[in-house]
Amino acid sequence: MHDRQTHDQRTHDQRTHDRQTHDRQTHDRQTHDQRTHDQQDRQVQDGQAQDRPAGPLAGVRVVDLTRVVMGPLATQILADQGADVVMIEAAGGDTNRVMGPGPAPQFSGLALNILRNKRSVSVDLKAPEQAAVVRELIAGADVVVATMLPGTLRRLGLSYDAVRELNPEIVYCQAQGWPLGSEAEDFPAYDDIIQSAVGVGDMMHRAAGEPTLLPTILADKVCGLAIAQAVTAALLHRARTGQGQHVEVPMVQTMTAFMLAEHGAGAIPEPPTPQGDLPATGYPRVMTPERRPQQTADGWIQILPYHPKHFFAIFTEAGETHLLKDPRFADLASAIRHAPELYPLMREIVKRRTTREWLDFCRGAGIPAVRMATLQDLVDDLPSAEHPVAGTYRLLPPMANFSRTPATVRRPAPAVGEHTQEALVGGPVWTDVRNPA
């Protein structure tokens, strides 16, 4: 056991040294992030100021009518940034509580982070007296985030029109698969459905030889980010004008914009601009199946020679000087078009040296490069926190760092319905501070 721990420590130390040697600025940023995580860790473990607002959204009240990952991720971001988030859960709890293993019932590894900084009120929205509790919460809120199907929201009396009667200044953000008013507005939409609807399958067919989906819930997470950004933009407008509004984030619309940012390519101009013998859509450099990490003499690395001077530096270092006059790599536009030929050449060259040697060379030559990390590497670098029920867990970082109003972890993920009683009796569900200094 001691030998394995010693080996693991040496491995961790070597990985840390590689990062420091490769990019000092990255190391400095990681050090700053670690200090932020350590501060969050202490706050969770010590139970300091559990209800104290912190962050740029301190004083903002959010009623969370979302489930699974997309909406809860958005409200986690808002909560990390100081918003007071009350999530409305069914009696059995949300699906994210059982998505993957966890140390205790209700607390999957996913739920421990995505539900942090929130309070849980468990009610049956179909029961009029319990739905009335939610409407009371909405009447005192600044934001509602809802990902139920539009028809369901209307039947429950929780559509924007109904909520606006309770709270005219509300920022109401609604997200579903397809745009409101379309024939598909009430079609169920999970990540697999949206990925297929916005061309991910086609992209992977062209890049990998068969239609597949990306092995991450891409649409859910991208749309979660879009929801959080849209809510803060609407809050800014309200701060300036006093006006609330309805905000809609249709997943297929958001993901179409996301996918075509680069993959619209030559098909965006009218008439389309040819890309040689390639289809008008698709960014050639990233569409090639040859774009992948390179194997070194002792591991895996990702080197990205983006500019011709980068290619030439690597060709010269490897003794492949005949490639310096290859017209395929004479300029950036040509190199992008010929990426399918360039990347295999790179892989053969990279095999000749160790990861450490390539990292040192690339740093000296100004070429982007990084050791390929595993998912476990990412987890190993996270700080630990203590949950009152689930015990020790790894704390995911906030998605942005604020110099004056830092994002914090003030509350561990709650049990299902942990705050229901205080809501039912009209207790202090909301944090008292509305306008922090």
Side-chain angles (χ1 to χ4, degrees), residues 158-171:
L158 293 172
S159 66
Y160 174 62
D161 288 339
V163 166
R164 184 175 52 181
E165 293 296 318
L166 300 169
N167 188 339
E169 295 179 2
I170 197 77
V171 168

Side-chain angles (χ1 to χ4, degrees), residues 314-334:
I314 292 174
F315 295 157
T316 300
E317 181 70 12
E320 303 288 350
T321 54
H322 65 284
L323 293 173
L324 299 178
K325 297 182 179 180
D326 193 315
R328 294 174 297 176
F329 316 133
D331 55 52
L332 180 58
S334 180

Side-chain angles (χ1 to χ4, degrees), residues 96-397:
N96 55 46
R97 291 186 177 273
V98 293
M99 288 177 67
Q106 304 183 12
F107 295 109
S108 66
L110 170 65
L112 284 170
N113 280 295
I114 208 167
L115 302 184
R116 70 193 188 200
N117 285 330
K118 305 177 187 180
R119 284 178 277 190
S120 173
V121 171
S122 180
V123 296
D124 180 359
L125 290 172
K126 296 178 182 178
E129 69 281 0
Q130 295 188 42
V133 173
V134 176
R135 280 189 274 274
E136 288 179 12
L137 288 170
I138 290 172
D142 300 290
V143 177
V144 169
V145 182
T147 59
M148 300 177 189
L149 292 175
T152 300
L153 289 168
R154 286 191 288 269
R155 287 192 297 274
L156 293 172
L158 293 172
S159 66
Y160 174 62
D161 288 339
V163 166
R164 184 175 52 181
E165 293 296 318
L166 300 169
N167 188 339
E169 295 179 2
I170 197 77
V171 168
Y172 184 100
C173 186
Q174 181 173 2
Q176 68 285 322
W178 283 266
L180 292 172
S182 70
E183 293 183 359
E185 72 168 18
D186 272 319
F187 286 8
Y190 291 89
D191 187 85
D192 299 33
I193 299 298
I194 300 300
Q195 282 203 38
S196 294
V198 300
V200 172
D202 174 58
M203 175 183 72
M204 295 304 296
H205 191 185
R206 291 164 58 179
E210 62 177 316
T212 60
L213 302 181
L214 292 173
T216 182
I217 48 174
L218 179 75
D220 280 356
K221 292 187 287 187
V222 168
C223 292
L225 293 171
I227 291 168
Q229 189 278 327
V231 166
T232 53
L235 284 171
L236 177 61
H237 173 78
R238 195 183 73 167
R240 289 173 170 171
T241 67
Q243 300 171 339
Q245 63 179 298
H246 180 259
V247 180
E248 184 193 359
V249 181
M251 295 177 73
V252 73
Q253 176 181 325
T254 299
M255 288 302 298
T256 295
F258 178 86
M259 288 292 293
L260 294 182
E262 86 279 32
H263 286 312
I268 294 297
E270 290 288 354
T273 301
Q275 299 192 95
D277 58 354
L278 299 174
T281 57
Y283 180 42
R285 189 186 73 77
V286 300
M287 288 291 285
T288 173
E290 303 295 344
R291 176 184 176 248
R292 58 182 186 265
Q294 302 105 359
Q295 188 169 15
T296 66
D298 64 349
W300 292 90
I301 194 172
Q302 182 66 63
I303 301 175
L304 178 58
Y306 198 80
H307 298 287
K309 66 178 182 180
H310 295 157
F311 315 141
F312 297 158
I314 292 174
F315 295 157
T316 300
E317 181 70 12
E320 303 288 350
T321 54
H322 65 284
L323 293 173
L324 299 178
K325 297 182 179 180
D326 193 315
R328 294 174 297 176
F329 316 133
D331 55 52
L332 180 58
S334 180
I336 289 173
R337 287 196 304 273
H338 293 284
E341 301 144 66
L342 171 62
Y343 288 156
L345 289 172
M346 282 290 303
R347 282 204 307 277
E348 290 304 313
I349 290 172
V350 170
K351 287 179 182 178
R352 302 173 191 174
R353 296 189 181 182
T354 66
T355 300
R356 176 75 270 145
E357 289 172 330
W358 279 119
L359 288 174
D360 288 343
F361 169 76
C362 289
R363 176 172 172 79
I367 300 172
V370 68
R371 180 191 296 270
M372 187 188 78
T374 66
L375 293 175
Q376 187 61 50
D377 289 336
L378 302 184
V379 172
D380 290 343
D381 285 343
L382 295 175
S384 296
E386 291 297 322
H387 190 279
V389 175
T392 304
Y393 71 104
R394 298 286 188 162
L395 195 66
L396 295 185

Side-chain angles (χ1 to χ4, degrees), residues 44-72:
V44 172
Q45 291 190 35
D46 297 343
Q48 295 175 347
Q50 197 175 51
D51 291 310
R52 182 187 65 205
L57 297 180
V60 172
R61 297 171 174 176
V62 179
V63 173
D64 182 352
L65 299 175
T66 72
R67 62 188 185 91
V68 194
V69 172
M70 176 179 69

